[in-house]
Amino acid sequence: METKPEKSLNFIHEIIEEDNRTGKYEKRVHTRFPPEPNGYLHIGHAKSICLNFGTAAKYNGKCNLRFDDTNPVKEDVEYVDSIKEDVRWLGFNWEGKELYASDYFETLYEYAEFLIKKGKAFVCDLSVEEIGKYRGTVTQPGKESPYRNRSADENLELFRKMRSGEFPDGEKVLRAKIDMTHPNMLMRDPILYRILHAEHHRTGSKWCIYPMYDFAHGQCDSIESITHSICTLEFEVHRPLYNWFIKELEIYAPQQIEFARLNLTYTVMSKRKLLELVQGGFVSGWDDPRMPTICGLRRRGYTPEAIRNFADIIGVAKRDNMIDVSLLEHCIREDLNKQASRKLAVINPLKLVIENYKESFIEEIDAVNNPENPEAGTRKISFSKVLYIEQEDFMENPPAKFFRLAPGNEVRLKYAYIIKFTGVIKDDTTGKIKEVRCTYDPDTRSGMPLSNRKVKGTIHWVAACNSIEAEVRLYEQLFTKEKSEEVEEGHDFKENLNPSSLQVKRCFIEPSAKQAKPGEKYQFERMGYFCVDPDSSKDKLIFNRTVTLKDSWAKITKA
RNA sequence: UGUCCUGUGGUGUAACUGGCAACACGUCUGAUUCUGGAUCAGAAGAGUUUAGGUUCGACCCCUAACAGGACAACCA
C-alpha cells in the first residue's frame, strides 16, 4: 500500500529539485500568484494558482498572493475582492495579508532614480506615435531617440518633475537605455514610467506616474525574495529584460520559469473575450454557469476538489495545448458521484397511470441516498396511482435495444414496482401522447421476496400527488466548435456561440428536495448532477445542471 | 524577413536522463448492475514532424528543414 507508484515530476519541479540539490536558494521555495485586479479569475488561472500554491506546499515553501496593480485606469477593488474569494474557495491560503505591487511604488521609484544616475535610463519627450516609429519592426532595427543623450542630472530633474505633476499625461516617459537595434523588441529602450493623472484604487492620488508592468513585475518578485517566478509562455520574451533590470539594479535575482497556459475545448479563455460576452449580454454575467470563470464554475456546481484534481491531471509543460472538456467533466463526475445525494426528478414529464393501483392510496417507499456511500442512509418517497415519468423513457415504436417502457416491455420503477404497458391516451387533435397506462405487479416492490425478477430497464419517476415543482437550467457547451475562436476571415468568434447553451425547464422533484439550499449538489438519478442556484428561494427552487451522467444510450441513438 | 520557444496515439502528460513508448481522458468490446450511472475485465489506437549525423544502440545528443506559437500597447 505504501509503495505508491512514483509520479514523475513536471519540468518545473525538476528544476526546483535540482536547485534544492545545488543549494541555489538555500533550499528555499517561494512562489507567488500575481494577478492584475482587472477581471475575474478563470479555470486557466486555477491552473496557475494550483501550480504556485501547490508547488509551495509540496516543498514546504511559501506562496504569496500579490496583485500587480500598476495600471490604475483598468483596476478596481471589485476585482481584488473577487480574486481573493476565488483563491480561498479553491482551497488556498496566503500568509498574512495579500501583497500589492503598489506597496512597492516608492522602492520602484528609487530603482528608477538609481538607473537614471547610472546613466541607464532617460526621460523621453517623443509622442506615442513617434516612439512606435522609432522602435522599428520585428525584422528591422529601431532608431535612437533624440532625447537619449540627456545628462543624468537633467534626466533626474525631469523625472522628479514628472513625479511632482508638472507635466500632463503623455508628455514624457522614462525609458531604459538598452539597445535600439536589439533583435528582441522589448530591449529597444522600453518605457519604465508613464504619466497618468489617475486615481489608484489603493494609493489614491499620491502618484501621477506609474511604473510599467515590465518595470514592476520582476522587481516585485525580487523584493519578495521569490525563488521561482512561474508564469505563462508569453512572458518568455520578457525574461531577458527582467534579468537586465535585476542586473543593473544589483538586486536579488529570482528565476523565471514559463509554462503553457490552459486552453479548453468549446470555450474561450481570454479576459478580453470573456468581457465581451459579459458586456454584450451573451451570458448573464461573470458568474454565468456557462462561463469558464471560477465563479461561473462554482455556480455551475463544480467543487474546488474537482478543479484541483483537474489541474493536477492536466500536467504542466511548455507546448501549446487544448484540453478536452470531457476531462474536466470526468473530474466533476468523479467527485460528485461520491458526494452527491440522489433525488428522483422528472424533467420532461409524461403522465403515467397505474390502472390496477388503488385510487388515492399513497405508499411510502425507501430510497437509497447514495449507493456509493451506505452511510448516507435512506429516505422515504411517496408512490401513488398517478406518476410522472420522463418522456424519453417511453416509446410507442421503439428501436432495437430500447430497454425502457414500450408496448410489450416491462420496466422497473426505481425503488418501486415492475410495471407493464397497457395503452396510451392521445390528444384527439394533435395526436400527441397525453398519458401512458400500465399495470403494476404488487409482488415486485423493491426488497420483496419476488422482486428480483429481471427486467430490461429501470426508470425514474415522481408521484403526481406530492412532487414539487422546480426550475432547471440545462447547460450545454457555450460554443459549438471545439476551437471556439476558429472562424473564417472577417468573422467573429461569437458566431460560434451555441444558441442552445441554456434551456430553462420546469420539472417535478420528489418532496425531499424542498429544503435544498443554494450551493447544494444533488444527482437527479439518470439525469445528471444539479446544483441549487443562488437565485433559488423557498418559493422557487432553481437547479443548475452541472453535467449530465455519462449516457451510453444517447450515444447509440446519435449514431 | 528577424529573435525566442515548442513539436510523442483523437486529447493531455510520461519514459528512471541513450537501452525499441507508459498513464489518464476519450473511443470500442464484454461482465455486472433496481441509475444504459458507478464498478470490473479487456481491446483498438503513436514507433515519437521530416531528413541527415553521432552511437553497439536515439523520443532523448548534434545539424538542417518543415510546422505551430510568442514578440513591434505610455496593457498585463
Side-chain angles (χ1 to χ4, degrees), chain A residues 339-343 367-380 415 510 512 523 525:
Chain A
Q339 324 284 15
S341 289
R342 315 285 130 127
K343 297 287 177 206
V368 174
N369 286 332
N370 187 345
E372 304 294 319
N373 175 19
E375 285 177 27
T378 61
R379 67 187 185 283
K380 297 284 185 193
Y415 303 125
E510 58 169 277
S512 71
Q523 183 197 107
E525 297 215 34

Side-chain angles (χ1 to χ4, degrees), chain A residues 330-342 369-373 523 529 549:
Chain A
H330 165 260
C331 290
I332 188 59
R333 285 194 188 105
E334 190 182 44
D335 188 23
L336 259 20
N337 178 44
K338 287 179 288 192
Q339 324 284 15
S341 289
R342 315 285 130 127
N369 286 332
N370 187 345
E372 304 294 319
N373 175 19
Q523 183 197 107
Y529 295 99
L549 256 30

